[in-house]
Amino acid sequence: MRLDKLLVELNIGTRSEVKALLKKGLILVDGQKALKPEQKVDENSVVITYGGKDYSYQQYYYYIMNKPKGVITATEDAKDLTVMDLFYQKCPDAPKGLSPVGRLDKDTTGLLLITNDGKLAHELLSPKKHVDKTYFVTLDGELAEENIKELESGVHIGEGDLTEPAKVEYEGGNTCYITIHEGKFHQVKRMFFAVGKQVLELKRTGFGPLSLDEEKLPSGHISKLKCESFY
Ligand code: URA
């Protein structure tokens, strides 16, 4: 890969900014000053140093955000703060081109995966793959045994077929965990509505192999997963 392309991908600057940095001799390639934007480098092994910091290339990046309330799950929006606005505010050095996997409502909190691995995103969201999504739900009242049975065997949410079987872990009082593997629009809220309950608070705590640990990742925080790839 050309050196200037790599520097842009590493989010060191725009094409013209990195050219200027190279000209000033501010970029080291494997410890040696590099001056030519067109220099070819092996992106899989090279170490770039700039501003006292080492950068190495990774094809795929994975981050988990504990999404706070009030931000929308989109990459950009004319009026609302998006999860990606928040992400780049908190991680300005992260590479460009990342996106959230799936969608949480504006008032839903919790685990959101952010990556540039389109294949993984597709697999995690494909209805055929039956990837579990677990939510902690606060309701406007208690759940009856029959509500749990209905939710677990499938309810009508106005889309023809019943929802697929779910797993409910009742905590007592007005909270429970529900695990589903579909991802229809407002699915959890609509499922509880179908059994006569209103969802007051919704937090995603699990997504496929990932789970949310709020002691390590409080609301609004982001953590970079230390893996080259998910596979
Ligand atoms: N189900 C919902 O109703 N909302 C979400 O944000 C996620 C799942």
Side-chain angles (χ1 to χ4, degrees):
M1 183 186 287
R2 275 176 64 120
L3 177 57
D4 54 354
K5 183 167 192 289
L6 177 63
L7 297 175
V8 172
E9 290 207 8
L10 291 172
N11 212 5
I12 288 175
T14 61
R15 201 104 182 181
S16 53
E17 285 165 351
V18 302
K19 267 193 186 136
L21 294 174
L22 286 163
K23 215 169 172 186
K24 289 184 193 151
L26 295 175
I27 303 282
L28 304 184
V29 171
D30 290 330
Q32 304 290 319
K33 201 181 277 183
L35 298 167
K36 293 195 175 130
E38 68 277 12
Q39 180 182 336
K40 290 273 184 222
V41 290
D42 178 355
E43 68 273 14
N44 295 312
S45 60
V46 73
V47 177
I48 303 291
T49 310
Y50 167 61
K53 216 168 130 186
D54 287 342
Y55 294 79
S56 47
Y57 178 76
Q58 231 181 284
Q59 189 176 13
Y60 296 121
Y61 294 84
Y62 307 92
Y63 294 83
I64 305 181
M65 175 186 284
N66 183 351
K67 178 191 171 299
K69 271 192 189 173
V71 287
I72 61 164
T73 313
T75 45
E76 51 187 18
D77 189 80
K79 101 177 180 321
D80 283 312
L81 184 75
T82 70
V83 290
M84 295 317 295
D85 295 331
L86 181 64
F87 176 82
Y88 284 112
Q89 278 170 16
K90 301 233 166 181
C91 305
D93 293 336
K96 296 194 177 103
L98 303 173
S99 326
V101 178
R103 190 174 289 266
L104 293 177
D105 297 338
K106 189 172 176 182
D107 59 353
T108 299
T109 60
L111 200 163
L112 186 67
L113 176 65
I114 291 171
T115 183
N116 56 350
D117 184 345
K119 181 165 171 270
L120 177 79
H122 182 75
E123 302 240 323
L124 289 172
L125 297 176
S126 162
K128 289 193 198 113
K129 301 281 172 173
H130 299 286
V131 172
D132 283 349
K133 295 151 197 112
T134 301
Y135 297 87
F136 180 70
V137 191
T138 307
L139 298 163
D140 64 345
E142 295 190 358
L143 268 186
E145 193 56 44
E146 71 188 74
N147 298 147
I148 298 174
K149 283 199 187 121
E150 285 175 286
L151 289 163
E152 290 198 333
S153 53
V155 288
H156 278 293
I157 58 169
E159 296 212 4
D161 292 341
L162 289 174
T163 54
E164 287 185 23
K167 178 91 202 98
V168 176
E169 287 165 68
Y170 188 32
E171 295 269 287
N174 61 345
T175 59
C176 70
Y177 286 90
I178 186 165
T179 300
I180 59 172
H181 49 253
E182 298 169 285
K184 297 196 171 113
F185 185 61
H186 294 331
Q187 174 145 356
V188 174
K189 291 174 186 164
R190 287 157 75 202
M191 286 176 75
F192 281 94
F193 185 72
V195 300
K197 298 279 172 273
Q198 198 192 335
V199 171
L200 301 181
E201 303 269 341
L202 190 60
K203 174 165 61 188
R204 183 154 68 187
T205 58
F207 184 34
L210 304 170
S211 55
L212 180 67
D213 178 345
E214 288 205 279
E215 289 199 356
K216 292 198 184 125
L217 197 69
S219 175
H221 285 234
I222 293 158
S223 118
K224 184 173 181 193
L225 300 181
K226 289 189 179 46
C227 52
E228 287 299 304
S229 116
F230 245 74
Y231 309 104

